[in-house]
Structure formats: C-alpha cells, structure tokens
Amino acid sequence: MQPYFYSVSEFLAMGKHGVFVWSCWAITVGVMLAFIIYSRRQRQALIKQLTIQQARQAQRTAKTPNPETKKPM
C-alpha cells in the first residue's frame, strides 16, 4: 500500500485543488462556530429576560393583597 500524498505540502495542495478544499473547510468551521456563539448568546439573553420577568412577577404578587387572607369584619 502506497500513500497518496508523500509530503505535507502535497497534502495541502491536493493536486491543485487545495485552495477550494481548504476554503470550504474554513467556511464550514466558521459557520459552525458562529452558530455556537449565536446560540449561547441567545440562551444567555433568554435566561436574563426570564429572570427579570420572574422578579417583576414576584414584585407584583408581593404588592397585591391576597383576598383569601383578609379577615371578615
């Protein structure tokens, strides 16, 4: 069995198609990293928004009197 590429430079050149192959790899990896970063930021923003919403809801329920706790006169 013989290797297809005898050196690293031949592997990178890939028979003069290396530019296309490696640019496609770079674009794919870049898009995947961008998607991961975007997803993480969206998740953090959603968690922050839900925390704020929960705090506001807790303030509303603390301010409004509960009709069940009122004593009849």
Side-chain angles (χ1 to χ4, degrees):
M1 186 175 233
Q2 293 180 348
Y4 190 75
F5 301 110
Y6 291 104
S7 68
V8 175
S9 62
E10 284 183 30
F11 174 72
L12 293 176
M14 292 196 176
K16 298 183 182 178
H17 297 291
V19 174
F20 304 109
V21 172
W22 296 115
S23 63
C24 288
W25 270 95
I27 290 169
T28 301
V29 170
V31 168
M32 290 175 67
L33 288 174
F35 180 69
I36 290 169
I37 291 169
Y38 174 77
S39 297
R40 286 186 176 183
R41 286 186 180 172
Q42 287 291 87
R43 181 178 182 269
Q44 289 173 351
L46 179 63
I47 290 171
K48 184 178 179 180
Q49 185 180 20
L50 289 174
T51 304
I52 291 170
Q53 184 179 1
Q54 188 177 14
R56 286 181 183 164
Q57 186 67 30
Q59 282 180 345
R60 283 187 202 138
T61 56
K63 286 182 182 179
T64 57
N66 191 352
E68 296 173 2
T69 59
K70 287 185 178 180
K71 294 181 183 178
M73 289 187 174

